[in-house]
Amino acid sequence: MVKSYLKYEQSKIFGLVNSSTSNAIWSADTDTSRSTGAGRAIVPANEEVLCWDIKKGELLSRWKDNNCRSQVTAIVQSTTDNDIFAVGYEDGSIRLWDSKIATIIVSFNGHRSAITALAFDPSGVQLASGSKDTDIILWDLIAEVGLFKLRGHKDQVTGLEFLRAEAPRSKEENGEIIVGEYDSSSVQGGYLLTTGKDALIKLWELTSQHCIETHVAQTNGECWSLGVSPDGSGCITAGNDGELIVWSIDIDGLGRHSSRMDDNGSRFLHNRGALHRTGRDRTLEIKFHPRQDYIAVHGSEKNVELWRIRSEEEVKRSLARKRKRRREKQATDGMKMDLDAENMDPVETNDDISSVEIGDFFVPYLIVRTGGKVRSADWVKQKASNVVQLLISTTNNQLEVYTVDTTDKARKSKSDEASYSRALAVELPGHRADIRALALSSDDRMLATASNGGLKIWNIRTRGCIRTFECGYALCCAFLPGDKVVIVGTKSGELQLFDVASAALLGTVTAHEGAIWALQVHPDGRSLVSGSADKSAKFWDFEVIQEEIPGTKRTTPRLGLAHTRTLKVSDDILSLRFSPDSRVLAVALLDNTVKVFFLDSLKLFLNLYGHKLPVLSMDISFDSKLIVTCSADKNIRLWGLDFGDCHKAFFAHQDSILQVAFVPHNQDGNGHYFFSSSKDRTIKYWDGDKFEQIQRLDGHHGEIWALAVSRTGNFLVSASHDKSIRIWDQTDEQIFLEEEKEKELEELYENTLATSLEQDEDKDNEVEVGAVSKQTIETLTAGERIAEALEIGMVDLGNIKDWEVARSTQPNIAPPSRNPLFIALGGISAETHVLTVLQGIKAAALQDALLVLPFATVPPLFTFLNIFATKSMNIQLTCRILFFMLKTHHSQIVASKTMKPMLEGIRGNLRMALKRQKNEMGYNLAALNVIGAQMNENTVDYVDDREGDECRSTRKRGFVQVA
């Protein structure tokens, strides 16, 4: 009988506040009943998006698509609906989330690599996305399709903003001026401003779908960020070396250009000069305050720089002060006043500020020092006008809100710094540094995680952090018997004891002269051993010390460690293990060997040679018969503990293997199953008797530093460089080795298929505008479903037609035998089945699915489209498919004689169907007008209402005239 195993699946993720792959966004509280007033932070967390209540530090919701394993790389909030967010991922896909119900509204897939920039248009119905593949795609959110792809940048897109072009002013008959603002809700207008890593800033006209202006944005080679002022009159681009370039945008000129009043090749972007911030690194973000004259600029350092935009009066006063100082200096130098008047700068004599240097308008205001390297900053929109608040997400897994006092804008001297304070922070639910060690309590209810500077105790069931301690650079940790005390081994050679109940440090023992790489509690629970880089393993007994309470004669018991024995070895100890039967101690050394000693006499029992690089971890099976070792040479070796013979050596991972752990118990005969974790971001489940891989667990986005298997074997916990802690639960689902191998081969085949299709698409990359298409496994399977439905549908139509012909001569003939699929679906017709298949494909993936179909399937498809048009079945979808297929296969259709009568039939039927819909709508509108007139007759008119109606009607008429 074929052996089956139980599958492990990821069940919980915690320990992560935010990841540094994407920007963070501040959003106002939508639910006013439980609002705390500080708002929400929408932040990336590897493949998820987390929504935090900033004030309480509570997690409100997680947005996770189970089919997506790629990391979040960009987040943007809708301009019109505060509950809608667009999220871009590393695989080039975009998902629109409704934050109220934490579900996906629509998903797009058109880019070939990570999304780097997203922007909603002012009306909120279009979305622009930029990617590392250098393309910009405009998406229609209502029709759920990609409109077109813009190519022009030679490197990744780093900034995207829609510009609102104002229509020219028009005068009404009564003299009232009405401004017709450009309506960007349709594709027939609008402008897009983009920057790229290629140091170019481009202005695109979306009506004609081409670039109307290009400038070199940065002098030093790369442009990394773009910030546009709230009124759209200017923007700032930034690159390396802290250089900021200020640009003015001619909005009125864009309005004239959009209405085709002015088409003389004028320029709309003008370089106003350069500013230099104090940080010399790459500038990651520029954020204009939505209501006040402040700009936040930051790189990847531990600070955010605030700049202030001066008003015209302030600039004039500043110029006057400069003139006065210059005159005083000249007077002290003994120069004559008449000479002074002759040589005076024209800028000084008049009050024109258009020719003033840009540094007089933009002045550095304050540097906010943060608790970690800044990844993203966003303004908090609060009602108070005398302060501004800034939400900052850092690369060390925390969120901070800083309040900056802006009451005294004109500071008396440059040395006076404006005051700021850290108001709120979300930092408790995660470590600041990578977790290096994990330990589970004996009842599997608590988890201890240790990192550089911090030890945290978690409740496994609730995922809540119970205790946080400050410790040294932790390399290993363990719960002591009773689960009340946790011991931590540090890089400085100390053993630290922490009491979980009282949240206190019990004591610190200077145990070794080098880093303590490993420690383990003896199976009898009365002692422990620590292994260090000082080439020694030390044995410690637990003892209760009676400590005197200061100022009294009473004593209190305290747990301590008593050193009993020392084992000296020839090289640094990297790992050590007791055998469960307490007979031997295995020690892994830096010289690539594992030495096994008798525990009672500490005499050498076995020497295990074979690895080419140091053994990083090992474990001994429950029955003390097998020892498994893993090494930096990417291999795992299984040895017998009786004679030290190597049972099997196999290549297990693509990178160094950091940890191995046996499933601790022996029920169902699985005591020889073990897990391994590696720098290649995967965990693998192995059968130690058959030397076969059972399962591969994917999910982490960084090297997996630590692994811990529960006492029952029902779950395992892993901690990674991506700052997340993941719990993998054993399920009741059975898996078979052959099936798993086939699944892996299928995955490999699908990945190579998708990449080969992408290479085909790359060949036509020279055109500035292209269609939005990307073949994925989803679109390929959708295309296959359509082809299959058409095939069985055509057979069924033929059978029905033959039966109807035969029935004209033989009225009692039996109906034909139909495809079992139609009978199973309730005896539906062939056209209903084809329409159901077409409707089941997402709107965004439909065109790519239709591209899969060969030309041979076009006549059958048109046959069904004709039936849809005749029976008025989903006319909108019918038209969309028809027009797309005509555009795609135009040359073949024109050359085919058989297609002409079919197309004429479709045209006639479609026109009839559209005429019916038009009449229906006209009839309904007329009926609504009649009902409205009847309601107006029955209501009492008030003078105020009538005046308001007149005002409204004139405005509307005026707007139509302008348009």
Side-chain angles (χ1 to χ4, degrees), residues 2-5 694 734-741:
V2 180
K3 188 166 185 181
S4 66
Y5 303 86
I694 302 168
Q734 290 189 331
I735 51 175
F736 301 92
L737 297 182
E738 290 302 318
E739 280 182 17
E740 284 298 302
K741 282 177 189 169

Side-chain angles (χ1 to χ4, degrees), residues 181-213:
E181 277 200 357
Y182 153 69
D183 175 25
S184 61
S185 61
S186 66
V187 190
Q188 277 66 40
Y191 296 88
L192 190 66
L193 191 64
T194 65
T195 56
K197 192 183 160 188
D198 55 4
L200 297 180
I201 180 168
K202 285 176 173 281
L203 184 62
W204 304 82
E205 187 181 19
L206 301 180
T207 319
S208 57
Q209 301 175 12
H210 81 290
C211 179
I212 56 172
E213 205 169 314

Side-chain angles (χ1 to χ4, degrees), residues 475-525:
L475 295 174
C476 50
C477 66
F479 275 96
L480 298 189
D483 298 334
K484 291 199 172 75
V485 179
V486 176
I487 187 165
V488 172
T490 67
K491 202 172 185 177
S492 58
E494 292 176 340
L495 287 173
Q496 295 181 315
L497 292 162
F498 296 94
D499 187 350
V500 177
S502 65
L505 173 66
L506 291 178
T508 302
V509 180
T510 307
H512 293 271
E513 291 165 11
I516 300 173
W517 287 107
L519 58 84
Q520 200 196 1
V521 179
H522 193 281
D524 67 4

Side-chain angles (χ1 to χ4, degrees), residues 671-904:
H672 289 175
Y673 301 170
F674 62 92
F675 289 94
S676 64
S677 68
S678 165
K679 277 189 178 179
D680 68 2
R681 307 174 183 186
T682 61
I683 298 168
K684 291 187 178 178
Y685 185 25
W686 305 87
D687 184 336
D689 293 325
K690 289 190 170 181
F691 318 120
E692 294 268 14
Q693 179 188 319
I694 302 168
Q695 193 188 350
R696 191 182 77 211
L697 304 174
D698 295 309
H700 278 292
H701 299 280
E703 47 264 41
I704 300 162
W705 292 117
L707 197 67
V709 185
S710 67
R711 300 287 189 279
T712 55
N714 292 343
F715 67 89
L716 73 140
V717 187
S718 58
S720 163
H721 174 62
D722 63 16
K723 304 279 197 302
S724 69
I725 305 165
R726 293 173 194 246
I727 296 178
W728 312 79
D729 277 342
Q730 191 180 45
T731 61
D732 294 330
E733 187 185 339
Q734 290 189 331
I735 51 175
F736 301 92
L737 297 182
E738 290 302 318
E739 280 182 17
E740 284 298 302
K741 282 177 189 169
E742 280 173 24
K743 211 182 284 180
E744 278 195 22
L745 285 171
E746 270 174 33
E747 269 180 36
L748 196 66
Y749 169 69
E750 285 175 1
N751 290 340
T752 49
L753 187 65
T755 47
S756 66
L757 287 166
E758 279 177 20
Q759 284 162 3
D760 293 344
E761 288 170 24
D762 285 349
K763 288 172 187 172
D764 57 327
N765 258 4
E766 300 305 314
V767 206
E768 191 175 60
V769 179
V772 181
S773 71
K774 180 186 176 185
Q775 288 295 357
T776 60
I777 301 304
E778 185 189 1
T779 57
L780 288 174
T781 49
E784 286 167 6
R785 284 205 306 275
I786 297 171
E788 189 185 353
L790 289 173
E791 191 181 331
I792 60 172
M794 284 308 285
V795 172
D796 193 69
L797 282 181
N799 290 345
I800 299 287
K801 197 175 179 184
D802 293 345
W803 175 67
E804 283 173 352
V805 169
R807 201 171 63 161
S808 59
T809 53
Q810 302 171 354
N812 296 329
I813 191 169
S817 61
R818 302 188 67 207
N819 192 302
L821 179 66
F822 296 137
I823 299 160
L825 292 169
I828 59 170
S829 63
E831 58 269 24
T832 312
H833 175 59
V834 173
L835 186 64
T836 310
V837 169
L838 289 167
Q839 284 173 334
I841 298 165
K842 288 179 189 169
L846 181 62
Q847 291 188 357
D848 290 327
L850 291 170
L851 283 174
V852 176
L853 301 177
F855 183 69
T857 57
V858 173
L861 181 62
F862 278 28
T863 306
F864 280 104
L865 291 177
N866 195 10
I867 297 169
F868 299 156
T870 312
K871 298 185 177 180
S872 293
M873 297 163 76
N874 199 337
I875 293 297
Q876 187 187 359
L877 181 68
T878 305
C879 290
R880 197 179 151 204
I881 294 169
L882 177 67
F883 299 151
F884 179 73
M885 294 308 279
L886 286 173
K887 201 194 301 177
T888 309
H889 298 288
H890 181 260
S891 49
Q892 291 103 313
I893 290 170
V894 170
S896 168
K897 290 181 181 176
T898 54
M899 298 294 287
K900 191 181 177 187
M902 191 186 286
L903 285 169
E904 283 176 348

Side-chain angles (χ1 to χ4, degrees), residues 242-263:
E243 180 189 53
L244 310 174
I245 306 282
V246 183
W247 304 81
S248 67
I249 303 168
D250 185 0
I251 293 291
D252 295 332
L254 283 175
R256 288 193 298 274
H257 184 269
S258 64
S259 58
R260 292 291 179 268
M261 287 183 177
D262 173 23
D263 202 7

